[in-house]
């Protein structure tokens, strides 16, 4: 059977009513082709332009290696001047990525180049956009966003492969306890079903983003991304109206994250081994029960 991936819905343009009824309320992903074409960024955001605007800022970089059990989540692998990094991803494949780059802090000029899609929904966190850069072949591990926001993810200067899974599949995806990411011992792009049988039959959505494409990812959706070219994206975040989702976000960002960091710091590998065993056990139980239904 394997992992069952359906193609994502793709539209050129969409009205607020259609977006709300077909995607926001039922929380279904969609790719909007033309949303960013009226942004200045659509023409301006080349590799040379972002390199010029950001300059010699030193940025943290992340690779595809399994996380250090003792390190807090999102601990960088190394650092590099931004201009040197852009040269690197234009020149050759690399698994180094820039994760959650803050354009307000480092390059306020970029804020003039995009427009939050408020004609589709409200609740945008306009002061908190995020940018992501990756070299050809680099991979963002399978996770869902800790703040449980809706995401409008627009890609530039290349292609990106994306796989998406509803939140309800979390146990079958081997979610680690007290974390928003999955067990890192399998490759969702080429899983070993004998070793990780709970993945067999998991259902998801697949898409390929090109320059200017915007992916709407509803709250809680798991996502895995692979850069097919050296390229970058910007994510615009918006709150869900549900107070339950807001409470889940607050729990993740405060209690859960703090507890996880304390346990990692004090128990290191022993704690991570326990988390991985629990993830496997929960996946086995979910598979046996035929979950999710």
């Amino acid at each position: 059977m394997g992992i069952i991936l359906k193609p994502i819905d793709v539209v050129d343009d969409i009205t607020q009513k259609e977006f709300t009824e077909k995607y926001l309320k039922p929380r279904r992903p969609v790719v909007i082709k033309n949303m960013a074409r009226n942004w200045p960024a659509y023409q301006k955001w080349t590799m040379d332009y972002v390199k010029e605007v950001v300059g010699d800022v030193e940025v943290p970089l992340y690779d595809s290696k399994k996380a250090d059990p003792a390190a807090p989540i999102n601990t960088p692998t190394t650092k590099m001047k931004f201009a040197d990094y852009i040269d690197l991803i234009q020149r050759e494949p690399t698994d180094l990525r820039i994760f959650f780059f803050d354009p307000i802090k480092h390059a306020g000029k970029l804020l003039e180049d995009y427009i939050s899609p408020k004609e589709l929904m409200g609740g945008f966190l306009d002061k908190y956009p995020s940018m992501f850069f990756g070299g050809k072949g680099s991979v963002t591990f399978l996770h869902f966003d800790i703040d449980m926001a809706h995401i409008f993810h627009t890609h530039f200067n290349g292609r990106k492969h994306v796989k998406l899974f509803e939140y309800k599949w979390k146990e079958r995806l081997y979610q680690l306890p007290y974390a928003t990411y999955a067990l890192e011992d399998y490759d969702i792009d080429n899983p070993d079903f004998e070793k990780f049988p709970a993945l067999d039959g998991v259902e998801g959505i697949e898409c390929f983003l090109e320059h200017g494409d915007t992916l709407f990812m509803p709250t809680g959706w798991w996502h895995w991304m692979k850069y097919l070219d050296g390229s970058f994206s910007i994510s615009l975040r918006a709150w869900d109206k549900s107070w339950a989702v807001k409470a889940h976000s607050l729990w993740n960002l405060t209690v859960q994250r703090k507890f996880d960091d304390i346990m990692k710091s004090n128990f290191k590998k022993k704690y991570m081994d326990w988390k991985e065993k629990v993830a496997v056990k929960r996946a086995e139980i979910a598979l046996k029960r035929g979950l999710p239904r």
Side-chain angles (χ1 to χ4, degrees):
M1 184 184 300
I3 294 176
I4 303 165
L5 295 172
K6 296 180 180 179
I8 198 168
D9 286 358
V10 178
V11 299
D12 289 328
D13 300 288
I14 193 167
T15 64
Q16 182 185 48
K17 181 179 180 181
E18 185 181 12
F19 175 75
T20 300
E21 294 301 319
K22 292 184 67 174
Y23 302 106
L24 181 59
K25 284 184 178 178
R27 295 179 180 170
R28 290 177 55 210
V30 62
V31 169
I32 307 171
K33 301 289 288 186
N34 291 339
M35 196 189 85
R37 295 198 177 196
N38 64 337
W39 296 1
Y42 186 75
Q43 298 292 340
K44 292 171 64 177
W45 281 14
T46 64
M47 292 292 193
D48 288 340
Y49 178 75
V50 293
K51 186 167 70 169
E52 175 188 340
V53 172
V54 177
D56 290 331
V57 172
E58 188 176 64
V59 292
L61 301 175
Y62 303 83
D63 62 19
S64 301
K65 294 178 182 176
K66 189 173 180 177
D68 180 348
I73 188 69
N74 299 336
T75 300
T77 302
T78 186
K79 293 182 179 181
M80 184 183 293
K81 284 187 177 180
F82 183 80
D84 293 338
Y85 174 73
I86 294 299
D87 289 340
L88 172 65
I89 65 173
Q90 287 185 286
R91 185 176 64 245
E92 61 191 63
T94 175
D95 69 343
L96 292 175
R97 296 175 291 112
I98 297 178
F99 180 76
F100 266 110
F101 177 76
D102 182 351
I104 291 180
K105 181 179 179 181
H106 298 292
K109 188 177 179 181
L110 295 175
L111 298 177
E112 303 169 4
D113 295 340
Y114 65 85
I115 304 165
S116 296
K118 295 179 181 179
E119 74 280 3
L120 295 181
M121 65 175 293
F124 278 93
L125 306 173
D126 288 334
K127 294 183 179 180
Y128 302 99
S130 304
M131 295 186 73
F132 304 84
F133 294 74
K136 180 178 180 179
S138 62
V139 171
T140 302
F141 59 81
L142 186 62
H143 70 288
F144 65 92
D145 285 13
I146 192 170
D147 62 357
M148 304 296 290
H150 296 298
I151 309 296
F152 288 82
H153 187 80
T154 303
H155 197 60
F156 295 91
N157 284 275
R159 299 165 300 144
K160 181 183 277 188
H161 183 192
V162 183
K163 296 185 180 184
L164 300 154
F165 304 92
E166 279 189 82
Y167 184 74
K168 68 180 182 180
W169 290 99
K170 58 186 184 295
E171 286 89 5
R172 293 277 296 274
L173 292 172
Y174 295 84
Q175 179 186 2
L176 294 172
Y178 306 109
T180 60
Y181 55 96
L183 191 69
E184 295 179 71
D185 293 334
Y186 69 83
D187 178 5
I188 195 67
D189 203 32
N190 186 29
D192 182 340
F193 295 113
E194 289 189 9
K195 193 172 182 181
F196 301 100
L199 296 173
D200 196 12
V202 168
E203 299 173 7
I205 293 174
E206 183 174 40
C207 67
F208 293 84
L209 300 178
E210 298 180 344
H211 179 80
D213 289 351
T214 299
L215 166 64
F216 169 65
M217 285 190 295
T219 175
W221 274 72
W222 289 79
H223 44 285
W224 168 96
M225 299 183 175
K226 182 175 183 178
Y227 291 83
L228 303 181
D229 305 291
S231 49
F232 61 92
S233 308
I234 185 169
S235 284
L236 308 179
R237 319 177 82 76
W239 285 117
D240 189 84
K241 289 184 177 180
S242 165
W243 284 104
V245 172
K246 290 183 175 74
H248 193 172
S249 168
L250 185 62
W251 172 269
N252 288 347
L253 290 165
T254 56
V255 179
Q256 178 175 283
R257 172 174 274 183
K258 187 65 175 177
F259 174 80
D260 196 49
D261 284 345
I262 290 171
M263 293 296 286
K264 282 181 181 179
S265 177
N266 287 301
F267 298 101
K268 300 181 173 62
K269 188 175 183 300
K270 183 178 181 181
Y271 173 60
M272 287 301 298
D273 288 345
W274 172 81
K275 289 178 68 167
E276 291 179 358
K277 288 178 182 177
V278 171
V280 171
K281 186 64 176 178
R282 287 177 177 173
E284 290 173 349
I285 292 172
L287 178 62
K288 186 175 181 179
R289 293 180 177 176
L291 301 176
R293 295 190 177 94

Short mmCIF file of all heavy atoms in Angstrom, two decimals, residues 155-198:
data_model
loop_
_atom_site.label_atom_id
_atom_site.label_comp_id
_atom_site.label_asym_id
_atom_site.label_seq_id
_atom_site.Cartn_x
_atom_site.Cartn_y
_atom_site.Cartn_z
N HIS A 155 7.05 30.67 -2.35
CA HIS A 155 8.39 30.23 -2.73
C HIS A 155 8.97 31.09 -3.86
O HIS A 155 8.22 31.60 -4.70
CB HIS A 155 8.36 28.76 -3.16
CG HIS A 155 9.71 28.12 -3.18
ND1 HIS A 155 10.49 28.02 -2.06
CD2 HIS A 155 10.43 27.56 -4.19
CE1 HIS A 155 11.63 27.42 -2.37
NE2 HIS A 155 11.62 27.14 -3.66
N PHE A 156 10.32 31.23 -3.87
CA PHE A 156 11.00 32.07 -4.85
C PHE A 156 12.27 31.40 -5.38
O PHE A 156 12.97 30.70 -4.65
CB PHE A 156 11.41 33.41 -4.21
CG PHE A 156 10.24 34.26 -3.79
CD1 PHE A 156 9.71 34.17 -2.51
CD2 PHE A 156 9.66 35.16 -4.68
CE1 PHE A 156 8.63 34.94 -2.12
CE2 PHE A 156 8.57 35.94 -4.30
CZ PHE A 156 8.06 35.83 -3.02
N ASN A 157 12.54 31.65 -6.67
CA ASN A 157 13.83 31.32 -7.30
C ASN A 157 14.14 29.84 -7.41
O ASN A 157 15.31 29.45 -7.35
CB ASN A 157 14.98 32.02 -6.56
CG ASN A 157 15.06 33.49 -6.90
OD1 ASN A 157 15.67 33.86 -7.91
ND2 ASN A 157 14.41 34.31 -6.10
N GLY A 158 13.13 29.02 -7.58
CA GLY A 158 13.42 27.61 -7.75
C GLY A 158 12.20 26.77 -7.44
O GLY A 158 11.07 27.24 -7.44
N ARG A 159 12.44 25.49 -7.15
CA ARG A 159 11.36 24.54 -6.90
C ARG A 159 11.52 23.91 -5.53
O ARG A 159 12.63 23.74 -5.02
CB ARG A 159 11.36 23.46 -7.97
CG ARG A 159 11.15 23.96 -9.40
CD ARG A 159 11.53 22.88 -10.40
NE ARG A 159 12.94 22.51 -10.26
CZ ARG A 159 13.41 21.28 -10.40
NH1 ARG A 159 12.60 20.28 -10.69
NH2 ARG A 159 14.71 21.04 -10.28
N LYS A 160 10.39 23.54 -4.96
CA LYS A 160 10.38 22.88 -3.65
C LYS A 160 9.31 21.78 -3.66
O LYS A 160 8.19 21.98 -4.12
CB LYS A 160 10.08 23.90 -2.55
CG LYS A 160 10.07 23.31 -1.14
CD LYS A 160 9.68 24.37 -0.11
CE LYS A 160 10.87 25.21 0.30
NZ LYS A 160 10.54 26.11 1.44
N HIS A 161 9.69 20.61 -3.15
CA HIS A 161 8.78 19.46 -3.05
C HIS A 161 8.22 19.44 -1.63
O HIS A 161 8.98 19.50 -0.66
CB HIS A 161 9.57 18.18 -3.34
CG HIS A 161 8.76 16.93 -3.33
ND1 HIS A 161 9.34 15.67 -3.33
CD2 HIS A 161 7.42 16.72 -3.34
CE1 HIS A 161 8.39 14.76 -3.34
NE2 HIS A 161 7.23 15.37 -3.34
N VAL A 162 6.90 19.33 -1.51
CA VAL A 162 6.25 19.39 -0.20
C VAL A 162 5.31 18.20 -0.03
O VAL A 162 4.54 17.86 -0.93
CB VAL A 162 5.44 20.70 -0.03
CG1 VAL A 162 4.82 20.78 1.37
CG2 VAL A 162 6.31 21.92 -0.31
N LYS A 163 5.39 17.57 1.14
CA LYS A 163 4.43 16.53 1.53
C LYS A 163 3.74 16.98 2.81
O LYS A 163 4.39 17.46 3.74
CB LYS A 163 5.14 15.19 1.75
CG LYS A 163 5.76 14.63 0.48
CD LYS A 163 6.36 13.25 0.68
CE LYS A 163 6.98 12.74 -0.63
NZ LYS A 163 7.49 11.36 -0.50
N LEU A 164 2.41 16.81 2.83
CA LEU A 164 1.59 17.32 3.92
C LEU A 164 0.71 16.21 4.49
O LEU A 164 0.17 15.39 3.73
CB LEU A 164 0.69 18.45 3.41
CG LEU A 164 1.39 19.67 2.83
CD1 LEU A 164 0.49 20.37 1.83
CD2 LEU A 164 1.79 20.63 3.94
N PHE A 165 0.54 16.22 5.83
CA PHE A 165 -0.28 15.22 6.50
C PHE A 165 -1.13 15.89 7.57
O PHE A 165 -0.62 16.73 8.33
CB PHE A 165 0.60 14.13 7.14
CG PHE A 165 1.52 13.46 6.17
CD1 PHE A 165 2.82 13.94 5.98
CD2 PHE A 165 1.11 12.36 5.43
CE1 PHE A 165 3.68 13.34 5.07
CE2 PHE A 165 1.96 11.75 4.53
CZ PHE A 165 3.25 12.24 4.34
N GLU A 166 -2.39 15.50 7.65
CA GLU A 166 -3.26 16.07 8.68
C GLU A 166 -2.74 15.74 10.07
O GLU A 166 -2.11 14.70 10.29
CB GLU A 166 -4.68 15.53 8.53
CG GLU A 166 -5.52 16.21 7.47
CD GLU A 166 -6.96 15.78 7.54
OE1 GLU A 166 -7.71 16.33 8.38
OE2 GLU A 166 -7.34 14.89 6.75
N TYR A 167 -3.07 16.60 11.01
CA TYR A 167 -2.64 16.45 12.40
C TYR A 167 -3.05 15.10 12.98
O TYR A 167 -2.33 14.51 13.80
CB TYR A 167 -3.23 17.59 13.23
CG TYR A 167 -2.78 17.60 14.67
CD1 TYR A 167 -1.49 18.02 15.02
CD2 TYR A 167 -3.63 17.20 15.70
CE1 TYR A 167 -1.07 18.03 16.34
CE2 TYR A 167 -3.22 17.22 17.02
CZ TYR A 167 -1.94 17.63 17.34
OH TYR A 167 -1.53 17.65 18.65
N LYS A 168 -4.21 14.57 12.53
CA LYS A 168 -4.74 13.33 13.09
C LYS A 168 -3.83 12.13 12.87
O LYS A 168 -3.98 11.10 13.54
CB LYS A 168 -6.12 13.04 12.50
CG LYS A 168 -6.11 12.70 11.01
CD LYS A 168 -7.51 12.44 10.48
CE LYS A 168 -7.51 12.06 9.00
NZ LYS A 168 -8.88 11.80 8.51
N TRP A 169 -2.86 12.24 11.95
CA TRP A 169 -1.95 11.13 11.67
C TRP A 169 -0.72 11.13 12.60
O TRP A 169 0.22 10.36 12.39
CB TRP A 169 -1.48 11.18 10.22
CG TRP A 169 -2.55 10.85 9.24
CD1 TRP A 169 -3.31 11.74 8.51
CD2 TRP A 169 -3.00 9.55 8.85
NE1 TRP A 169 -4.19 11.07 7.70
CE2 TRP A 169 -4.03 9.72 7.90
CE3 TRP A 169 -2.64 8.26 9.23
CZ2 TRP A 169 -4.69 8.64 7.32
CZ3 TRP A 169 -3.30 7.18 8.64
CH2 TRP A 169 -4.31 7.38 7.70
N LYS A 170 -0.71 11.96 13.61
CA LYS A 170 0.50 12.18 14.41
C LYS A 170 1.08 10.89 15.00
O LYS A 170 2.30 10.71 15.00
CB LYS A 170 0.24 13.21 15.51
CG LYS A 170 -0.87 12.89 16.49
CD LYS A 170 -1.12 14.06 17.43
CE LYS A 170 -2.16 13.74 18.49
NZ LYS A 170 -3.50 13.50 17.89
N GLU A 171 0.24 10.01 15.54
CA GLU A 171 0.78 8.77 16.12
C GLU A 171 1.38 7.88 15.04
O GLU A 171 2.47 7.32 15.22
CB GLU A 171 -0.31 8.00 16.87
CG GLU A 171 -0.70 8.60 18.20
CD GLU A 171 -1.82 9.61 18.05
OE1 GLU A 171 -2.33 9.77 16.92
OE2 GLU A 171 -2.16 10.27 19.07
N ARG A 172 0.72 7.78 13.89
CA ARG A 172 1.21 6.92 12.81
C ARG A 172 2.49 7.49 12.18
O ARG A 172 3.25 6.76 11.54
CB ARG A 172 0.12 6.75 11.75
CG ARG A 172 -1.10 5.98 12.21
CD ARG A 172 -0.90 4.49 12.12
NE ARG A 172 -0.71 4.04 10.77
CZ ARG A 172 -1.71 3.73 9.94
NH1 ARG A 172 -2.98 3.82 10.34
NH2 ARG A 172 -1.46 3.31 8.71
N LEU A 173 2.72 8.78 12.36
CA LEU A 173 3.95 9.42 11.85
C LEU A 173 5.08 9.37 12.88
O LEU A 173 6.14 9.94 12.66
CB LEU A 173 3.66 10.87 11.47
CG LEU A 173 2.74 11.06 10.25
CD1 LEU A 173 2.37 12.53 10.10
CD2 LEU A 173 3.40 10.54 8.97
N TYR A 174 4.86 8.66 13.99
CA TYR A 174 5.88 8.49 15.03
C TYR A 174 6.25 9.83 15.67
O TYR A 174 7.43 10.16 15.83
CB TYR A 174 7.12 7.80 14.46
CG TYR A 174 6.90 6.39 13.98
CD1 TYR A 174 6.41 6.14 12.70
CD2 TYR A 174 7.17 5.29 14.80
CE1 TYR A 174 6.19 4.83 12.25
CE2 TYR A 174 6.97 3.98 14.36
CZ TYR A 174 6.48 3.76 13.08
OH TYR A 174 6.27 2.47 12.64
N GLN A 175 5.22 10.60 16.07
CA GLN A 175 5.49 11.85 16.77
C GLN A 175 6.19 11.58 18.10
O GLN A 175 5.77 10.72 18.86
CB GLN A 175 4.21 12.64 17.03
CG GLN A 175 4.45 13.95 17.78
CD GLN A 175 3.17 14.66 18.18
OE1 GLN A 175 2.07 14.16 17.94
NE2 GLN A 175 3.29 15.81 18.80
N LEU A 176 7.24 12.33 18.37
CA LEU A 176 7.94 12.21 19.65
C LEU A 176 7.15 12.91 20.74
O LEU A 176 6.58 13.99 20.51
CB LEU A 176 9.33 12.84 19.56
CG LEU A 176 10.32 12.15 18.62
CD1 LEU A 176 11.59 12.98 18.49
CD2 LEU A 176 10.67 10.75 19.12
N PRO A 177 7.10 12.35 21.95
CA PRO A 177 6.40 13.01 23.05
C PRO A 177 7.01 14.39 23.34
O PRO A 177 8.23 14.58 23.21
CB PRO A 177 6.61 12.07 24.23
CG PRO A 177 6.99 10.76 23.64
CD PRO A 177 7.68 11.06 22.36
N TYR A 178 6.18 15.32 23.73
CA TYR A 178 6.61 16.68 24.10
C TYR A 178 7.37 17.36 22.97
O TYR A 178 8.30 18.14 23.21
CB TYR A 178 7.45 16.67 25.38
CG TYR A 178 6.77 15.98 26.53
CD1 TYR A 178 7.20 14.73 26.98
CD2 TYR A 178 5.67 16.56 27.15
CE1 TYR A 178 6.55 14.08 28.02
CE2 TYR A 178 5.02 15.92 28.19
CZ TYR A 178 5.46 14.68 28.62
OH TYR A 178 4.80 14.04 29.64
N ALA A 179 6.98 17.06 21.74
CA ALA A 179 7.67 17.66 20.58
C ALA A 179 6.67 17.84 19.45
O ALA A 179 5.60 17.24 19.44
CB ALA A 179 8.82 16.76 20.12
N THR A 180 7.04 18.65 18.48
CA THR A 180 6.20 18.90 17.31
C THR A 180 6.83 18.30 16.06
O THR A 180 6.53 18.72 14.95
CB THR A 180 5.96 20.41 17.12
OG1 THR A 180 7.22 21.05 16.94
CG2 THR A 180 5.23 21.01 18.32
N TYR A 181 7.71 17.34 16.24
CA TYR A 181 8.35 16.70 15.10
C TYR A 181 8.36 15.19 15.27
O TYR A 181 8.08 14.65 16.36
CB TYR A 181 9.77 17.23 14.89
CG TYR A 181 10.69 17.12 16.09
CD1 TYR A 181 11.56 16.05 16.24
CD2 TYR A 181 10.70 18.11 17.07
CE1 TYR A 181 12.40 15.95 17.31
CE2 TYR A 181 11.54 18.02 18.18
CZ TYR A 181 12.38 16.95 18.29
OH TYR A 181 13.21 16.85 19.38
N ALA A 182 8.66 14.50 14.19
CA ALA A 182 8.58 13.05 14.16
C ALA A 182 9.94 12.41 14.42
O ALA A 182 10.98 13.08 14.37
CB ALA A 182 8.04 12.58 12.81
N LEU A 183 9.91 11.12 14.67
CA LEU A 183 11.13 10.32 14.77
C LEU A 183 12.00 10.56 13.54
O LEU A 183 11.50 10.50 12.41
CB LEU A 183 10.74 8.86 14.87
CG LEU A 183 11.80 7.83 15.24
CD1 LEU A 183 12.24 8.01 16.69
CD2 LEU A 183 11.22 6.42 15.06
N GLU A 184 13.26 10.84 13.75
CA GLU A 184 14.14 11.20 12.63
C GLU A 184 14.85 10.00 12.01
O GLU A 184 15.71 10.17 11.15
CB GLU A 184 15.17 12.24 13.09
CG GLU A 184 14.55 13.57 13.51
CD GLU A 184 15.60 14.56 13.97
OE1 GLU A 184 16.37 15.05 13.13
OE2 GLU A 184 15.65 14.83 15.20
N ASP A 185 14.48 8.79 12.42
CA ASP A 185 15.18 7.60 11.94
C ASP A 185 14.61 7.04 10.64
O ASP A 185 15.10 6.04 10.13
CB ASP A 185 15.13 6.50 13.01
CG ASP A 185 15.93 6.88 14.25
OD1 ASP A 185 16.87 7.67 14.11
OD2 ASP A 185 15.60 6.40 15.35
N TYR A 186 13.58 7.66 10.10
CA TYR A 186 13.05 7.20 8.81
C TYR A 186 13.02 8.36 7.83
O TYR A 186 13.00 9.53 8.22
CB TYR A 186 11.67 6.56 8.96
CG TYR A 186 10.55 7.51 9.33
CD1 TYR A 186 9.90 8.27 8.36
CD2 TYR A 186 10.11 7.62 10.65
CE1 TYR A 186 8.86 9.12 8.68
CE2 TYR A 186 9.07 8.47 10.99
CZ TYR A 186 8.45 9.22 10.00
OH TYR A 186 7.43 10.07 10.32
N ASP A 187 12.99 8.01 6.56
CA ASP A 187 12.93 8.98 5.48
C ASP A 187 11.52 8.94 4.89
O ASP A 187 11.14 7.96 4.26
CB ASP A 187 13.98 8.64 4.41
CG ASP A 187 13.94 9.57 3.21
OD1 ASP A 187 13.17 10.54 3.22
OD2 ASP A 187 14.71 9.31 2.25
N ILE A 188 10.73 9.98 5.11
CA ILE A 188 9.34 9.98 4.64
C ILE A 188 9.27 9.92 3.12
O ILE A 188 8.26 9.52 2.56
CB ILE A 188 8.58 11.22 5.17
CG1 ILE A 188 7.05 11.06 5.01
CG2 ILE A 188 9.08 12.49 4.49
CD1 ILE A 188 6.44 10.01 5.85
N ASP A 189 10.36 10.28 2.44
CA ASP A 189 10.40 10.23 0.98
C ASP A 189 10.69 8.81 0.47
O ASP A 189 10.41 8.50 -0.68
CB ASP A 189 11.45 11.20 0.46
CG ASP A 189 11.20 11.62 -0.97
OD1 ASP A 189 10.01 11.70 -1.36
OD2 ASP A 189 12.17 11.90 -1.70
N ASN A 190 11.24 7.97 1.34
CA ASN A 190 11.57 6.59 0.96
C ASN A 190 11.56 5.72 2.22
O ASN A 190 12.60 5.21 2.65
CB ASN A 190 12.94 6.54 0.27
CG ASN A 190 13.26 5.16 -0.27
OD1 ASN A 190 12.38 4.39 -0.63
ND2 ASN A 190 14.55 4.83 -0.29
N PRO A 191 10.39 5.53 2.81
CA PRO A 191 10.33 4.86 4.13
C PRO A 191 10.56 3.35 4.05
O PRO A 191 10.25 2.71 3.05
CB PRO A 191 8.91 5.16 4.60
CG PRO A 191 8.13 5.41 3.36
CD PRO A 191 9.08 6.00 2.37
N ASP A 192 11.10 2.83 5.14
CA ASP A 192 11.28 1.39 5.31
C ASP A 192 10.06 0.87 6.07
O ASP A 192 9.98 1.01 7.29
CB ASP A 192 12.57 1.12 6.09
CG ASP A 192 12.86 -0.36 6.27
OD1 ASP A 192 11.92 -1.17 6.13
OD2 ASP A 192 14.01 -0.71 6.57
N PHE A 193 9.11 0.28 5.35
CA PHE A 193 7.85 -0.11 5.98
C PHE A 193 8.00 -1.33 6.88
O PHE A 193 7.17 -1.56 7.75
CB PHE A 193 6.79 -0.37 4.91
CG PHE A 193 6.41 0.86 4.13
CD1 PHE A 193 6.73 0.97 2.79
CD2 PHE A 193 5.74 1.91 4.75
CE1 PHE A 193 6.38 2.11 2.07
CE2 PHE A 193 5.40 3.05 4.05
CZ PHE A 193 5.72 3.15 2.70
N GLU A 194 9.05 -2.11 6.67
CA GLU A 194 9.29 -3.24 7.57
C GLU A 194 9.74 -2.74 8.94
O GLU A 194 9.32 -3.27 9.97
CB GLU A 194 10.33 -4.18 6.97
CG GLU A 194 9.84 -4.95 5.76
CD GLU A 194 10.83 -6.03 5.34
OE1 GLU A 194 11.80 -6.27 6.08
OE2 GLU A 194 10.62 -6.63 4.27
N LYS A 195 10.57 -1.72 8.95
CA LYS A 195 11.07 -1.17 10.21
C LYS A 195 10.07 -0.20 10.84
O LYS A 195 9.99 -0.11 12.07
CB LYS A 195 12.40 -0.45 9.95
CG LYS A 195 13.17 -0.11 11.21
CD LYS A 195 14.55 0.41 10.86
CE LYS A 195 15.35 0.72 12.12
NZ LYS A 195 16.71 1.26 11.79
N PHE A 196 9.29 0.47 9.99
CA PHE A 196 8.32 1.46 10.49
C PHE A 196 6.95 1.17 9.87
O PHE A 196 6.46 1.92 9.01
CB PHE A 196 8.79 2.88 10.15
CG PHE A 196 10.14 3.22 10.72
CD1 PHE A 196 11.27 3.17 9.92
CD2 PHE A 196 10.27 3.56 12.06
CE1 PHE A 196 12.52 3.46 10.44
CE2 PHE A 196 11.52 3.84 12.60
CZ PHE A 196 12.65 3.79 11.79
N PRO A 197 6.32 0.08 10.28
CA PRO A 197 5.09 -0.38 9.63
C PRO A 197 3.91 0.58 9.78
O PRO A 197 2.98 0.53 8.96
CB PRO A 197 4.80 -1.72 10.33
CG PRO A 197 5.52 -1.63 11.64
CD PRO A 197 6.75 -0.82 11.37
N ALA A 198 3.90 1.42 10.79
CA ALA A 198 2.77 2.33 10.99
C ALA A 198 2.65 3.36 9.87
O ALA A 198 1.60 3.95 9.67
CB ALA A 198 2.90 3.06 12.33
#
